Structures are given as C-alpha cells and as structure tokens.
Amino acid sequence: MIRTGGGRALGDLFALDPGRTHLNLGAFGAVPRPVLAARRRWIERAEADPHRFHRVELPAAVARARLAAARWLEVDPGSLALVTNVTEGISTVLASLRLGRGDDIVVSDHGYGAVRLALASWSVHHGVAVREVAIPLAAGDAEIVGAFASAVGPRTRLVIVDQITSPTAREFPAREVAAAVRATGHRALVLVDGAHAPGTLPTDVAGLGADVWVGNFHKWLFAPRGTAGLWLAPPLRELVRPLVLGWASEVTYPACFDSRGTQDLSGWLALPDALALWGELGGWDMVAHGAQVVGAGNETLVTALRDAGHEVDLSVLSDRPAPTMRLLPLPAGVASDQQAADALCDALSLRGLEVAVVAWGGRGWLRPGAHAVTEPADFDHLATELPGVLRELRSSALAR
C-alpha cells in the first residue's frame, strides 16, 4: 500500500487494516477516508435539523447525486435511478414485469448467486420457468451468444446476461447477446447485470442495446456500500416502480426512486465525492495498473502451486478475464463444494489473507482481485501461505 496516485499515498487514503492482505475488495468495495468524511458530513447535517433536512434538503441532494452518476456513465439523466445494489435493481424489475406461469427467464450458470436465488423464488412462488444456460468457462464470444440465443423462445420474457461474471471472473459479450436476442424476433427483454462493470470496464450503457442495466458504484468506484444505478430504456420508465411504495410512488421515473423514507441515504449523497476522487487518483489508468498487478499476481500463484507439486491447468480458463479479477483453478478435490470453499476461505483468513474462494462447475477456484491499493506483495503473501494451507486442509480431511 505504498503506491501513489494523484500525488497521495493510496494506502493512507483508506481505513483498511494494514496487517491484513486484501485481495477481495471488489466484493464489498473499499471506501476512501475523504468519501467517509463526506458521508459523515451529510449525517451530521441531517442530525442538525432532521425536519428541514428530510423535507427540503435531501430531495435536491439525492437528485444531484443521481445526476453525477448519470454524467459519469454518460447517460441521459432521466434514464438512471439510484438503488442500493444490483440485486435490488433486478428484483425491482422482476416485480414490475409481473411475470407468471407460462413465462420464461433465461440466465447463465455464471450468474450471481443472489440473483439466481431470486429467480428460483420467482419460479416457486409465481410459476415462472427459469432456463439456466450452461456455458463452458473457456467459451468464446460466438459460443456464448449462440447459447443465449438458442435458449430464447416464444415464452421468454427476460434474458439476464452478466457483463463481468461474479463467480468466474470473466467478461461476457453483453452487447452481442442483446443483439442476438433481438434477432430471434421474440418479445424477450434483455437485462445486463453490470455489478462489476463501473470502475473496471468502460461501458456505453445506452449503446448495449439492452432494456435494463444495473451496476454497483460501491465495488470499484469508491462509493459507500449500498450505492448502485438502475438504467432503463424509455419503454420501461413508466412501468418499473420501486419495491417499496411511499410518498414518491406517484412521481415519475427516476425521481420515484429518490424517496426512501427515513433510510440513511448519506452513502448516496457521498457518491459525487467518490466519483471525483476516483478520477483524481488516476481513473482508468489506475484500472490498467490493477490489471497488470492481478495478471502478474496470478502468475506468481501458479508458480507457487506448481513448485509445491500441484497441477494447474490454465487451458480451462477464459481468454477474456475480468480486468481486475482473475480465476485460478485449485488442485482437484479442493473447495469443490460450497462448504469446502468456505473452509479454505476461513483458513486463509486466519492467516490474514482475504480472498474469494469459489466452488463452481464441480471444482474449486481462487478469485483474487486487484483494487486501487493492491500491490504485488499482497500476491506474494498469498503465494507463500497457500501451499501450506492446502496441505493442512488435506491432512485434516485424511484424518477424518
């Protein structure tokens, strides 16, 4: 955490525990101290005069934050609402579409776990059929596009495609999938899950050809947790309404999402500060540096595993990895189910290492990521500890 950006020591800008190695900051984000301070100022402002703040100041402040997000994404301000996260955004769309028996939803087996659980719930309670498309990890763009298009039929109402897949840390050709769905001639809407896109992948949101895009600002863009954007194409802006209806329920989109009653919206109000600081610290150049760090770091991990006698088959990986995350296959039989993945994650955490361990496709994977403060030394630490942790887990399993 000694690299500098914008003339400042990046490590000093974050409240992260320097005694721990943080290789999964893309999961929950990392909020810089200046953004935390901005949020604190909003909280204190609200407490100074709660009545006036909520009645007069808050609506305008939320609108300004929403406008800042729209400008950063380069979209029409009337197209973007603020929500707490991608999961809320997708659940909002599901509720507004009123899908039921006889309707299909298409999603891939690379989809985010919480989204897949939400779809399963809609299937159980509303009779919606969920068609999960199996896509090989190393599939090329044409294979991915063809798999989605082949799954679309006359009953398909919604297709959900990730820009960057969460469990497998790879890019999907969202724009091409949207075009292929349109070309089927069926009435299916396309929703792009852009959870990991803001701050890692330059995106022409309106140019994706999708009906819905949802992305998190708190993962890679320094915003406080619970800050995300929901973009809607014009035909949906009168249809999609917030999950919780209240004083703003009759207000037009996107302002109908601005009112959250007594919910603390200070995180949203600090969003302009987060976007400004991200740019000040290097913006896309900072992302490019992170890509270099995570790429070299993954090579370090591969070498460590091979030196310890483990086979590491890189041919199973995609040639379109996420810009700031990578997937590393673990030895056969390691972390191949969620319980075992959690056990490995816990064992690494006890050694001061925070990194995602994923069970996907019948095997285990590491998913390290490089945030603004990530250094090669962080991967060196993981490379040093990982072989020993794997030996201990294997010995423990044999002992049972």
Side-chain angles (χ1 to χ4, degrees):
M1 296 186 184
I2 59 173
R3 184 169 60 86
T4 60
R8 306 191 210 180
L10 289 185
D12 293 341
L13 286 178
F14 291 82
L16 295 165
D17 183 348
R20 302 189 67 78
T21 296
H22 306 275
L23 290 171
N24 192 25
L25 293 176
F28 301 102
V31 186
R33 295 182 191 276
V35 179
L36 290 174
R39 181 178 192 177
R40 192 175 303 114
R41 287 193 296 271
W42 282 111
I43 293 173
E44 292 174 353
R45 191 164 170 176
E47 294 308 317
D49 190 344
H51 184 259
R52 176 175 174 77
F53 179 81
H54 286 86
R55 187 177 63 86
V56 178
E57 297 183 41
L58 183 60
V62 171
R64 287 194 298 270
R66 175 163 44 79
L67 177 60
R71 286 173 174 167
W72 191 88
L73 289 171
E74 299 182 346
V75 298
D76 174 5
S79 67
L80 187 77
L82 294 180
V83 291
T84 58
N85 53 37
V86 166
T87 304
E88 181 199 338
I90 292 177
S91 293
T92 298
V93 172
L94 289 174
S96 297
L97 293 181
R98 299 180 182 178
L99 305 180
R101 196 169 304 279
D103 295 327
D104 289 0
I105 299 175
V106 173
V107 67
S108 84
D109 59 347
H110 296 248
Y112 184 54
V115 173
R116 294 167 72 187
L117 287 171
L119 296 179
S121 177
W122 273 86
S123 178
V124 170
H125 296 291
H126 301 281
V128 178
V130 178
R131 304 186 65 183
E132 189 170 276
V133 180
I135 297 176
L137 180 59
D141 286 0
E143 184 177 356
I144 294 170
V145 172
F148 273 101
S150 297
V152 175
R155 292 186 175 184
T156 305
R157 294 285 309 282
L158 183 65
V159 176
I160 300 177
V161 56
D162 298 79
Q163 274 188 281
I164 295 174
T165 62
S166 179
T168 53
R170 62 154 298 167
E171 292 184 36
F172 268 10
R175 179 182 288 103
E176 290 79 4
V177 169
V181 171
R182 295 278 183 270
T184 66
H186 297 301
R187 58 175 181 162
L189 300 174
V190 177
L191 185 155
V192 174
D193 181 338
H196 283 277
T200 67
L201 192 64
T203 301
D204 177 6
V205 173
L208 287 173
D211 301 281
V212 182
W213 176 91
V214 198
N216 290 321
F217 299 128
H218 56 249
K219 287 183 175 291
W220 303 96
L221 266 182
F222 299 167
R225 293 167 196 90
T227 309
L230 169 66
W231 178 91
L232 299 177
L236 292 179
R237 294 174 196 170
E238 292 186 6
L239 175 66
V240 176
R241 312 302 292 175
L243 286 174
V244 179
L245 301 177
W247 289 108
S249 60
E250 299 303 319
V251 177
T252 58
Y253 180 89
C256 58
F257 282 81
D258 290 355
S259 177
R260 296 290 183 120
T262 54
Q263 182 178 336
D264 178 8
L265 299 182
S266 58
W268 288 8
L269 304 187
L271 176 58
D273 300 86
L275 298 175
L277 183 60
W278 184 86
E280 178 187 336
L281 295 179
W284 294 114
D285 290 338
M286 182 170 54
V287 176
H289 177 83
Q292 293 174 354
V293 171
V294 76
N298 222 36
E299 292 177 6
T300 299
L301 297 176
V302 170
T303 299
L305 288 175
R306 286 175 172 168
D307 287 349
H310 298 292
E311 292 186 11
V312 183
D313 182 9
L314 300 181
S315 68
V316 300
L317 299 177
S318 166
D319 61 2
R320 289 192 63 187
T324 53
M325 296 188 293
R326 290 294 187 274
L327 205 63
L328 177 67
L330 290 167
V334 174
S336 56
D337 59 44
Q338 193 57 54
Q339 183 177 2
D342 289 343
L344 176 55
C345 189
D346 290 342
L348 291 169
S349 182
L350 288 173
R351 288 160 178 79
L353 288 153
E354 300 298 345
V355 61
V357 183
V358 179
W360 184 88
R363 67 177 303 168
W365 313 80
L366 281 188
R367 195 203 68 183
H371 214 270
V373 296
T374 308
E375 291 292 330
D378 297 325
F379 283 90
D380 293 341
H381 182 199
L382 178 57
T384 299
E385 296 287 346
L386 181 59
V389 172
L390 294 178
R391 283 195 301 271
E392 290 178 12
L393 287 178
R394 178 175 174 79
S395 297
S396 175
L398 291 174
R400 290 198 298 268

